[in-house]
Amino acid sequence: MHTEYHKEYSPRLGRDMEFKVYGHGGKPVLVFPCQNGRFYDWEGFGMLDTLEDYLEGGKLQLFTVDTIDAETVSLVDGDPYTRVRRHEAWYNYIMEELLPRIRQINGTGQDLLVTGFSMGAYHAGNFFFRRPDVFDSVIALSGVYDTHDMYNGYMDEVVYVNDPCASLSGMPEDHPYIQLYNQRKIMICVGQGAWEDLLLAGTRRLDEVLRRKGIRAWVDYWGLDVNHDWPWWKKQIRYFLPNVVGQP
C-alpha cells in the first residue's frame, strides 16, 4: 500500500504538525483520531486492514491528521475562552494549510469525506456542518455534537460556531447551507452498549436538531451489544462507506 509521512510547520499553530497518507488515489478522506489520539492510530488499530480493498483499489485515499485536543477540548481545567480560540486556530490550520496540501497530493479535485470516531466524530461533524461546500459527506461514529461538557457550559461566538447543535439550531430556515446539507451525505451512528451512554444521548440531541431543521441525515442506532470500541467502528465504517464510494 502506498504510504506517505509528512511533518510540516504550521504558522497558525506555531509548531510542526504531522499527518500520513494511505492509498494512491480516489476519494480524499480527512480522518480525525479519537480524543487525544494521534495521526497514526488508524494504522495502529488495524483500520487499514479493514479498508485495504478500498485503498488498494484506488477508491479511497486517507489523510490521517493530528488534533491538539490536549490544549482544547480535553483541557477541562483550563480557561474556556483561551481553549476554544486555540481550537479555532487548529480549525484554521486544517482548512487553510492542510486542505490545500490534501488537494495537491490527491489531485482528483473531489470534495472530501470527513470521518472520525468518539471525539473524532465531533471533529468530523463540526467540520462538515461548518463547511458543506468543502466536505460532501461525513461518517461520524459514537460522537457528541455539542460543547457543553467540553467547555463546562461556557458559550461565546467562537464556541457557538464550533457547536453543531447550537449553530444548527440557530441557523435561519432559508440559509443556503440547509439546501446544501440535503445534497450531501450525512451518516451518524452510535451503539447502545458499553461506554456509549453519553454518546447515545449526544447523537439523539443532534438527531432532534436535524429533524427540526429539515436536514436529511442517516442517523443509525445500533444494538445493545454494540460497544464504544474499534471492532464495532470497523464494522460500521464498512457498512456506511458504500453509500459514499460504492463497493470496493
Side-chain angles (χ1 to χ4, degrees):
M1 180 188 303
H2 177 78
T3 304
E4 299 177 17
Y5 166 77
H6 297 267
K7 183 176 183 179
E8 300 174 0
Y9 182 77
S10 165
R12 285 164 181 80
L13 294 176
R15 67 170 66 170
D16 290 329
M17 295 294 288
E18 297 169 279
F19 67 95
K20 291 193 81 170
V21 185
Y22 303 97
H24 58 271
K27 180 77 172 174
V29 185
L30 177 62
V31 176
F32 293 113
C34 298
Q35 189 166 9
N36 300 329
R38 295 300 312 276
F39 68 96
Y40 46 73
D41 285 354
W42 269 39
E43 182 176 351
F45 282 99
M47 189 60 73
L48 302 185
D49 294 334
T50 299
L51 301 179
E52 183 178 11
D53 49 356
Y54 280 100
L55 295 166
E56 294 288 11
K59 286 291 191 74
L60 294 178
Q61 189 171 39
L62 304 180
F63 294 81
T64 61
V65 305
D66 266 341
T67 67
I68 56 168
D69 286 349
E71 301 172 47
T72 59
V73 294
S74 297
L75 189 62
V76 294
D77 294 331
D79 170 48
Y81 179 94
T82 302
R83 290 165 55 208
V84 75
R85 278 153 181 80
R86 188 62 173 162
H87 175 93
E88 188 70 4
W90 172 74
Y91 170 86
N92 289 325
Y93 151 72
I94 296 288
M95 294 302 303
E96 298 171 19
E97 298 176 19
L98 184 60
L99 257 61
R101 291 287 288 124
I102 289 175
R103 293 190 178 100
Q104 180 184 52
I105 294 167
N106 177 258
T108 67
Q110 297 183 61
D111 288 338
L112 284 81
L113 163 64
V114 59
T115 189
F117 318 143
S118 194
M119 186 62 76
Y122 158 72
H123 292 311
N126 189 44
F127 275 81
F128 173 82
F129 288 116
R130 287 187 68 171
R131 294 299 303 271
D133 55 323
V134 172
F135 302 99
D136 66 6
S137 45
V138 56
I139 300 175
L141 308 178
S142 299
V144 169
Y145 306 97
D146 66 80
T147 61
H148 185 274
D149 290 343
M150 300 175 198
Y151 297 109
N152 299 314
Y154 176 80
M155 178 61 69
D156 65 16
E157 70 279 8
V158 183
V159 178
Y160 181 84
V161 297
N162 287 288
D163 186 317
C165 285
S167 57
L168 290 171
S169 293
M171 186 173 286
E173 302 294 335
D174 60 351
H175 195 290
Y177 274 5
I178 301 288
Q179 181 178 1
L180 189 54
Y181 293 141
N182 284 325
Q183 296 169 357
R184 302 315 203 182
K185 295 178 178 177
I186 304 172
M187 290 149 284
I188 312 290
C189 183
V190 66
Q192 299 180 70
W195 315 298
E196 287 279 62
D197 292 358
L198 295 176
L199 301 314
L200 179 59
T203 299
R204 285 178 172 149
R205 283 193 294 274
L206 178 63
D207 192 1
E208 193 276 330
V209 172
L210 295 173
R211 291 174 185 273
R212 191 170 68 245
K213 287 296 180 178
I215 299 170
R216 294 188 294 272
W218 183 0
V219 184
D220 216 0
Y221 299 92
W222 286 31
L224 298 175
D225 59 330
V226 179
N227 302 329
H228 187 87
D229 206 354
W230 285 89
W232 285 106
W233 296 330
K234 291 175 182 179
K235 293 179 181 180
Q236 289 165 350
I237 199 80
R238 292 287 312 197
Y239 181 76
F240 290 106
L241 263 177
N243 193 50
V244 181
V245 292
Q247 295 296 331

